[in-house]
Amino acid sequence: MDDFVSVNWKAIADGINILGGVDIEVDESEVSHLNNYQLCIAEDLKREYTPVTQTGYQRLDGLQATGYCRIRYTAGDDFKRAERQREVL
């Protein structure tokens, strides 16, 4: 491997916010995990966050989308997590 990029949660959340968010369909099994992850990220970055309160197609901000990318405790485990990451990218 000759080239690579390394980013942290702040860079991902900030990049998504700069783009105005990302449109994602969130299902019932993902909402609580998304909120738990974004809470952890918000605490680490010392930022406020807005919980996702409904399912369906919606625009996620940077923290929400980053939390969505980290979900692995639903059907599909880590394979589904990788799919979510590709969807956000």
Side-chain angles (χ1 to χ4, degrees), residues 8 15 20-22 31 35 38 43 47 49-50 58 68 71 73 75 85-86 88-89:
N8 60 20
V22 61
V31 172
N35 287 325
Q38 77 159 325
E43 287 176 348
R47 292 187 183 177
Y49 76 100
T50 304
Q58 55 198 297
Y68 177 80
I71 299 169
Y73 301 110
Q85 292 169 352
R86 287 191 302 274
V88 169
L89 288 175

Side-chain angles (χ1 to χ4, degrees), residues 13-84:
D14 290 347
I16 292 169
N17 284 337
I18 288 168
L19 295 172
V22 61
D23 295 329
I24 299 289
E25 186 167 357
V26 180
D27 72 34
E28 178 98 17
S29 68
E30 296 168 327
V31 172
S32 65
H33 297 296
L34 185 161
N35 287 325
N36 289 337
Y37 278 121
Q38 77 159 325
L39 170 62
C40 293
I41 298 164
E43 287 176 348
D44 287 345
L45 299 179
K46 298 183 182 14
R47 292 187 183 177
E48 295 293 320
Y49 76 100
T50 304
V52 173
T53 58
Q54 59 188 356
T55 60
Y57 195 70
Q58 55 198 297
R59 178 148 301 174
L60 301 181
D61 67 23
L63 287 176
Q64 293 167 337
T66 304
Y68 177 80
C69 286
R70 296 185 63 192
I71 299 169
R72 68 172 65 183
Y73 301 110
T74 62
D77 300 319
D78 201 46
F79 293 106
K80 183 68 176 170
R81 180 178 78 134
E83 182 180 317
R84 287 184 192 95

